[in-house]
Coordinates of all heavy atoms in Angstrom, one line a residue:
L63 N 99.6 123.4 88.2 CA 100.6 124.3 87.6 C 100.2 125.7 87.7 O 99.0 126.1 87.6 CB 100.7 123.9 86.1 CG 101.3 122.5 85.9 CD1 101.3 122.2 84.4 CD2 102.6 122.3 86.5
I64 N 101.2 126.6 88.0 CA 100.9 128.0 88.1 C 101.1 128.7 86.7 O 102.1 128.5 86.1 CB 101.9 128.6 89.1 CG1 101.8 127.9 90.5 CG2 101.8 130.1 89.2 CD1 102.8 128.2 91.5
P65 N 100.1 129.4 86.3 CA 100.2 130.1 85.0 C 101.2 131.2 85.0 O 101.5 131.8 86.1 CB 98.8 130.6 84.7 CG 97.9 130.0 85.7 CD 98.8 129.5 86.9
L66 N 101.7 131.6 83.9 CA 102.6 132.8 83.8 C 101.9 134.0 84.4 O 100.7 134.2 84.3 CB 102.9 133.1 82.3 CG 103.8 132.2 81.6 CD1 103.8 132.5 80.1 CD2 105.2 132.2 82.2
G67 N 102.7 134.8 85.2 CA 102.3 136.0 85.8 C 101.4 135.8 87.0 O 100.8 136.8 87.5
C68 N 101.3 134.6 87.5 CA 100.3 134.4 88.6 C 101.0 133.9 90.0 O 100.3 133.8 91.0 CB 99.3 133.3 88.2 SG 98.2 133.9 86.9
A69 N 102.3 133.7 90.0 CA 102.9 133.3 91.2 C 103.0 134.4 92.2 O 103.3 135.5 91.8 CB 104.3 132.7 91.0
D70 N 102.7 134.1 93.5 CA 102.7 135.1 94.5 C 104.1 135.2 95.1 O 104.5 136.2 95.6 CB 101.7 134.8 95.6 CG 100.3 134.8 95.1 OD1 99.8 135.8 94.6 OD2 99.7 133.7 95.1
V71 N 104.8 134.1 95.1 CA 106.1 134.0 95.8 C 107.0 133.0 94.9 O 106.6 132.0 94.5 CB 106.0 133.4 97.2 CG1 107.4 133.3 97.9 CG2 105.0 134.1 98.0
I72 N 108.3 133.4 94.8 CA 109.3 132.6 94.3 C 110.3 132.4 95.4 O 110.9 133.4 95.9 CB 110.0 133.1 93.0 CG1 109.0 133.2 91.8 CG2 111.2 132.3 92.7 CD1 109.6 133.9 90.6
I73 N 110.5 131.2 95.8 CA 111.6 130.9 96.8 C 112.7 130.1 96.1 O 112.4 129.0 95.5 CB 111.0 130.0 98.0 CG1 109.9 130.7 98.7 CG2 112.1 129.6 98.9 CD1 109.2 129.9 99.7
S74 N 113.8 130.7 96.0 CA 114.9 130.1 95.2 C 116.2 129.9 96.0 O 116.7 130.9 96.7 CB 115.2 131.0 94.0 OG 116.2 130.5 93.2
M75 N 116.7 128.7 96.0 CA 118.0 128.4 96.7 C 119.2 128.9 95.9 O 120.3 128.8 96.3 CB 118.1 126.9 96.9 CG 117.1 126.3 97.9 SD 117.5 126.9 99.6 CE 119.1 126.1 99.8
E76 N 118.9 129.5 94.7 CA 120.0 129.9 93.8 C 119.5 131.1 93.0 O 118.4 131.1 92.5 CB 120.2 128.7 92.8 CG 121.6 128.6 92.2 CD 121.9 129.7 91.2 OE1 121.0 130.1 90.4 OE2 123.1 130.1 91.2

Side-chain angles (χ1 to χ4, degrees):
L63 297 178
I64 300 169
L66 289 172
C68 292
D70 300 297
V71 182
I72 294 174
I73 300 174
S74 182
M75 290 291 295
E76 206 289 323

